[in-house]
Amino acid sequence: MTVDVLTSWDGALCSARYDRETGAFFVIALHSRSRGPAAGGTRARHYGSYADAIADAQRLAGAMTLKMAAADLPMGGGKSVIALPAPRDEIDDVLWRRILSIHAENLATLNGSYWTGPDVGTSSADMDVLHAESGFAFGRSESAGGPGSSAPSTAQGVYVAMQHAAAEAGIHSFEGRRILIQGLGAVGMDVLQLARKDGAELIAADVDEERCARAVRLGASIVDPAEVLDTPSDVFVPCAMGGLIDAGVAAAIRTAVVAGAANNVLTDPAVGDDLARRGIVYAPDFIANSGGAIHLVGREVLGWSTEEVAAHIDGIGATLDDVFGTARAGGISSEQAALDLAAARLAAGGSPR
Ligand code: NAI
Ligand code: PHE
């Protein structure tokens, strides 16, 4: 591995640790602390290489900086990646518990410069352990005194984003509209339930057959995961992994709206221009998926009630309306308008709260 992955990054600190006993490789990337301590979830999965794991942590940490700034939360951006020695579902409970303890040691070493939370491959129960052993984890389960998982709030925010992006595309009701959801995990399944109540025609894909079966029971039809990007829809909702939409996909995808939870869904900001040129309304991911961050930081740092959290999640709609308005007025993409909004907040320094 070369050091390019480190020298090409603009973040504040990137720490790494390999543990021989468990075979796990731990990365914590602190992108920015200019608005407050860095915060962002712990992603645990198997990677093709340690360089991939470092690059993923760095990209995701950068997205957290943008997310916190766009949501006007008093935190910076960071992310943890645990590159597992095997896929997550092949890691047994004893090994996982040991891996969590090592991650907790790493969090304790950073001593509050970085706060973690749930992400792909980790849960509220894992946050209970990390918090008990380090003191620096958001999103503990309610029985352990926390506010619970971020996923339901993320889904709520994604749904608000879908509605506002659809309105920007001239779609004012989901009744009978084709909504295509990629990824039926914690967020995607909740989004499906919300869209179902509004009478949408639901199409979904997941690599996990049990999750697909559940979606069918909720009234969805299933497409093969390999065919998602060829399936026409009114609203496409990516809720699996990032790096999905590159220039080729943006040129071919048949939808009016893209609004989902996946972090870093565009391979590059310029892909936002490609979507805009085709008249596809894109809800920038770091705004559309900020409901979870609003829930965790709102409840655990700012002391908000559940009602205040819900009101701020609704505010994602107003933020997107501003972004769409700025994009229209300036002849720029919504992605660029969102990046400009976050940059202005970061340049202004600390949060007003
Ligand atoms: P999850 O791990 O519960 O769900 C992801 C789902 O995607 C799983 O069901 C998995 O089987 C499926 N999947 C993976 N590869 C796929 C493929 N190629 N095609 C179709 N399905 C595939 O994760 P969660 O929490 O639902 O998050 C989804 C996305 O949203 C992730 O990218 C995450 O980083 C992002 N996100 C999550 C937040 C949260 O609060 N949970 C907050 C903000 C972003
Ligand atoms: N991992 C989630 C996200 O990407 C939730 C999260 C937010 C976790 C803030 C920690 C801190 O938004």
Side-chain angles (χ1 to χ4, degrees), residues 2-11 14 31 51 54-55 58-59:
T2 71
V3 292
D4 293 3
V5 69
L6 296 173
T7 54
S8 60
W9 192 49
D10 66 347
C14 188
H31 181 259
I54 294 172
Q58 292 174 336
R59 273 193 301 268

Side-chain angles (χ1 to χ4, degrees), residues 43 60 64 67 79 118-122 149-155 158 181-189 205-208 211 224-226 228 238-242 244 260-264 285 289-293 296:
R43 178 168 293 194
L60 290 163
M64 291 309 300
K67 190 179 307 189
K79 201 89 176 188
D119 197 75
V120 174
T122 58
S149 165
S150 50
S153 295
T154 302
V158 166
I181 303 173
Q182 182 197 39
L184 295 165
V187 178
M189 195 67 87
D206 200 294
V207 290
D208 181 314
R211 289 177 183 181
D224 189 294
V228 167
C239 292
M241 291 300 165
L244 183 74
N263 281 302
N264 298 337
D285 52 5
N289 71 16
S290 61
L296 297 177

